Amino acid sequence: MNGTRITEAARAGFDACLAAADEDAAIDLAVGLVASGVSAEDVLLRLVAPAQLKVGELWASGEWTVAQEHAATHVSSRTVDEVASAARATARPPAGSGAQGRVLVACSDGEWHVLPARILTEVLRLRGFDVRSLGGSVPPDGILSDVHRNGPDVVALSCTLPWNLPLAYRQIETCRWAGVPVIAGGSGFGPAGAWAYALGADLYAADARDAAEALLHRWPPVLRGESSVGADAVEAYAMLVRQRPALLEYLASALRDVCPGLGGSSGTEQEEGTGFLGRLLDSLAAAVFVDDERVFTRHLAFVRTYLAARSADSRCLLAMTDALAGRLNESPRALDKLSAGRRFLTGQEDGSGSRG
Ligand code: B12
């Protein structure tokens, strides 16, 4: 610990606490930093948040089990709670605390990555906003009733998984219908928030600090977003949703020989296989919805890394895009995304949408 900076030693120490699932040591370290003069915001954004990204890499690369990831995330989550209460206890509450305005924080429908929203909540509170947090996976009618009941000035919507974008769209539409602007954030909204703006969000911020700055700078936020989701895209998306059960069944049987793991006999294996294929289909559907192939190719990139780290055969991804292309030949929008997926998997494109 050194003055008001977070040192490399502190970062390494915190990572070690997560690896050991040592809740007490992690909290001591983080709260100690606040006591030594580091801002609570820095502790949340420069210590806890990057440590969580490393947790994700360790899990995706197969070095950590799901259990280790869960244990580490629990420690981070507890650390966020304790840092926030330490900051509240030591800092003089800003005059008229909450006077900056009312923010309702919610995760997109289907989204259980709540820690990003939790960190956002605390950072906004530290900046003097009155924040109400609804946690994970909030359906549009849940947001609507809360908006009516509590009258926030803005809804802050967090989305980590891009395949939730079509559901996030309904939430954004609902807020706009209720006359409340939406600030969006989280990795699910794509590079520079491209997909947040496509869905009609009024503002986007890359992290919690930028969110606070953006809101403070342009308070009160106003409705100004405009969705670029067209009727054709919605129709093509709806067709994929309707066909989802049949497509899952078709893929599971078409891929049985290439990807034997998908056709496992135990209940858990079958569930995992369906989950895996389901997420690929949902990514394709979301790519069709926002009309951006990167939603699909980025997910393929993640799955390919995930499978490679577990010595699983990633040829099944190519077999899957080909099988789907054969089945979806009446949907030019889906075919377009599947071709991009094929180019990516065969090395002709790098996954960001640029030809290699
Ligand atoms: C912890 C974790 C989980 C936990 C979440 C628990 C919890 N309480 O949050 C659990 C175990 C539930 C989980 C489940 C899954 N996960 Co997960 N998970 C993660 C992990 C490791 C960390 C997430 C996190 O806490 N990030 C820390 C925060 C601080 O990061 P952040 O997003 O950068 O947040 C900042 C900004 O984005 C911004 N921000 C965020 N929200 C908002 C909102 C607004 C309005 C604004 C302005 C700003 C803003 O501010 C934040 C602070 O600055 C990530 C790895 C990663 N790279 O994120 C994977 C990750 C997100 N998960 C992933 C996956 C695949 C899954 C599962 C599908 C796995 C499975 N097989 O079931 C499920 C899906 C669950 C679901 N339906 O939601 C993948 C997603 C890959 C992809 N295709 O995009 C990732 C990227 C893992 C990886 N390395 O590949 N996961």
Side-chain angles (χ1 to χ4, degrees):
M1 243 170 271
N2 174 16
T4 54
R5 278 186 324 113
I6 295 176
T7 61
E8 278 312 312
R11 270 190 244 279
F14 190 73
D15 292 345
C17 294
L18 295 193
D22 191 339
E23 195 171 318
D24 292 341
I27 292 169
D28 282 352
L29 192 160
V31 172
L33 284 170
V34 176
S36 75
V38 181
S39 75
E41 184 171 307
D42 274 354
V43 173
L44 297 178
L45 298 181
R46 299 204 166 138
L47 184 77
V48 182
Q52 275 300 108
L53 299 185
K54 275 185 233 159
V55 168
E57 282 160 24
L58 288 163
W59 168 74
S61 68
E63 273 180 67
W64 277 19
T65 62
V66 171
Q68 285 172 294
E69 173 279 311
H70 281 21
T73 302
H74 170 73
V75 173
S76 287
S77 189
R78 287 276 299 110
T79 305
V80 172
D81 293 346
E82 295 298 324
V83 166
S85 35
R88 274 196 281 274
T90 52
R92 201 162 38 87
S97 195
Q100 298 295 359
R102 280 165 304 167
V103 184
L104 178 67
V105 175
C107 288
S108 61
D109 211 353
E111 185 64 70
W112 289 106
H113 292 93
V114 291
L115 195 55
R118 178 88 190 83
I119 292 177
L120 174 77
T121 295
E122 292 308 337
V123 168
L124 292 179
R125 282 184 181 145
L126 289 166
R127 295 292 194 106
F129 289 94
D130 176 1
V131 188
R132 183 174 162 79
S133 185
L134 301 186
S137 189
V138 189
D141 56 345
I143 293 198
L144 184 62
S145 64
D146 213 82
V147 161
H148 283 152
R149 207 169 288 200
N150 297 296
D153 299 299
V154 62
V155 170
L157 190 63
S158 179
C159 176
T160 297
L161 299 169
W163 59 80
N164 288 327
L165 287 169
L167 302 177
Y169 176 68
R170 288 198 299 152
Q171 292 167 306
I172 293 172
E173 288 278 283
T174 301
C175 294
R176 296 178 61 73
W177 179 80
V180 183
V182 174
I183 178 167
S187 51
F189 283 117
W195 305 324
Y197 291 119
L199 300 186
D202 302 287
L203 273 172
Y204 164 82
D207 69 14
R209 198 189 307 277
D210 285 357
E213 298 290 343
L215 290 174
L216 288 168
H217 183 63
R218 299 185 207 175
W219 192 264
V222 291
L223 287 169
R224 61 187 183 134
E226 206 174 310
S227 155
S228 60
V229 177
D232 288 1
V234 175
E235 200 178 304
Y237 164 77
M239 189 273 289
L240 284 171
V241 172
R242 264 195 315 277
Q243 292 192 11
R244 190 178 189 275
L247 287 171
L248 277 178
E249 215 170 289
Y250 163 73
L251 283 176
S253 106
L255 302 179
R256 193 152 287 143
D257 295 337
V258 200
C259 327
L262 292 177
S265 51
S266 80
T268 315
E269 281 170 333
Q270 279 173 9
E271 226 171 77
E272 277 173 7
T274 314
F276 165 84
L277 291 175
R279 286 190 287 276
L280 282 162
L281 272 181
D282 295 341
S283 297
L284 175 66
V288 163
F289 192 83
V290 293
D291 197 16
D292 191 331
E293 64 196 36
R294 291 174 299 177
V295 176
F296 187 53
T297 53
R298 282 172 162 224
H299 185 60
L300 288 176
F302 157 71
V303 180
R304 188 163 70 176
T305 309
Y306 180 90
L307 292 176
R310 285 154 184 82
S311 312
D313 191 344
S314 60
R315 272 180 314 170
C316 63
L317 289 177
L318 198 53
M320 186 223 54
T321 51
D322 289 347
L324 275 177
R327 186 80 175 207
L328 294 171
N329 49 17
E330 279 171 23
S331 172
R333 285 174 180 271
L335 284 181
D336 182 44
K337 310 303 175 266
L338 286 166
S339 311
R342 184 167 228 293
R343 287 196 300 276
F344 167 68
L345 293 169
T346 52
Q348 295 165 52
E349 216 166 75
D350 64 10
S352 63
S354 352
R355 301 283 161 93

